[in-house]
Amino acid sequence: MLTGVVVDAVDVARAERFWAEATRGRIGGLRLRFVAAAEPKAAGRKNRVHLDLAGGPGWEDEVERLLALGARRADIGQGDVPWDVLADPEGNEFCVLRPGHHGVRADSGVVAVCLDVSEEDRAAQCAFWEATSGWHAVESHPWGAFMRRTPDSTVSLVLGPPCAPKAGRNRLRLEVTGGGRAPGEYLDPAGNEFHVGSEQ
């Protein structure tokens, strides 16, 4: 079962504070777990996993609130899109989605966990993550496949392109429990690390 996201951080305490305030504690039953990293995120290297937050009706004010918390605007080549791309104080990209954006089911907090998946890996990745996450495919489009824990869940797991090149260990990693695997770190079919936690 998909239970959360593990995030590498040079300053764990600051990252925890930022994300608690950024999400207002609304993370859809997931856990954000921060672990110490010796090196900062490499400049110019887009993460393969990122979070989407709902901007709500006052999305412009929400973006300003996040910038005041320590986020900054980020350019990952997105061009003119109906969402805002920001980065947290550690440089990890995240998106602030505007009202009416596909799949948004809440006015604040985390509404999606996005995993980069290439076109050639898409079928294998979708099958793997549906089995591993315990979440179920609810929609499929050329730009992404959506999975949810339950039909009325406010958070989606979104798998789709573009896929950032794999260069070193991913700084954000999905975390699951169960599935018959011993606790530890594993690789998905596309070489992305993911954690298996202990069931409690």
Side-chain angles (χ1 to χ4, degrees):
M1 178 68 68
L2 177 61
T3 54
V5 178
V6 180
V7 184
D8 286 348
V10 173
D11 188 336
V12 169
R14 182 183 185 197
E16 288 176 339
R17 283 194 306 273
F18 172 83
W19 281 103
E21 294 178 14
T23 63
R24 303 176 194 266
R26 298 173 184 149
I27 53 178
L30 297 175
R31 177 185 179 202
L32 299 182
R33 184 164 66 87
F34 299 88
V35 296
E39 299 291 334
K41 180 177 180 284
R45 184 184 298 169
K46 176 184 174 291
N47 287 327
R48 279 189 165 190
V49 175
H50 73 270
L51 301 177
D52 285 351
L53 305 183
W59 60 268
E60 292 169 306
D61 290 337
E62 180 64 2
V63 168
E64 291 303 316
R65 184 184 76 87
L66 293 164
L67 292 172
L69 290 176
R72 61 176 173 77
R73 294 191 180 273
D75 186 349
I76 55 172
Q78 68 266 22
D80 185 17
V81 292
W83 59 83
D84 293 85
V85 180
L86 305 180
D88 72 7
E90 295 272 337
N92 299 307
E93 306 87 2
F94 65 97
C95 297
V96 180
L97 306 182
R98 299 173 190 173
H101 191 281
H102 189 86
V104 174
R105 294 180 158 195
D107 285 338
S108 65
V110 176
V111 290
V113 179
C114 304
L115 172 64
D116 287 4
V117 172
S118 67
E119 289 296 335
E120 57 268 25
D121 290 336
R122 182 172 178 174
Q125 284 287 75
C126 287
F128 175 84
W129 280 108
E130 186 167 15
T132 302
S133 70
W135 293 24
H136 306 287
V138 293
E139 298 179 52
S140 184
H141 306 274
W143 41 265
F146 283 69
M147 298 178 191
R148 293 192 184 101
R149 179 186 294 130
T150 63
D152 60 349
S153 175
T154 59
V155 179
S156 300
L157 174 61
V158 182
L159 286 71
C163 187
K166 185 77 164 67
R169 190 165 177 269
N170 291 342
R171 292 187 74 82
L172 278 77
R173 301 171 295 281
L174 302 182
E175 185 162 56
V176 301
T177 58
R181 294 183 178 91
E185 189 167 282
Y186 296 82
L187 298 177
D188 74 8
N192 298 302
E193 301 84 2
F194 69 96
H195 285 267
V196 175
S198 300
E199 293 189 82
Q200 298 180 359

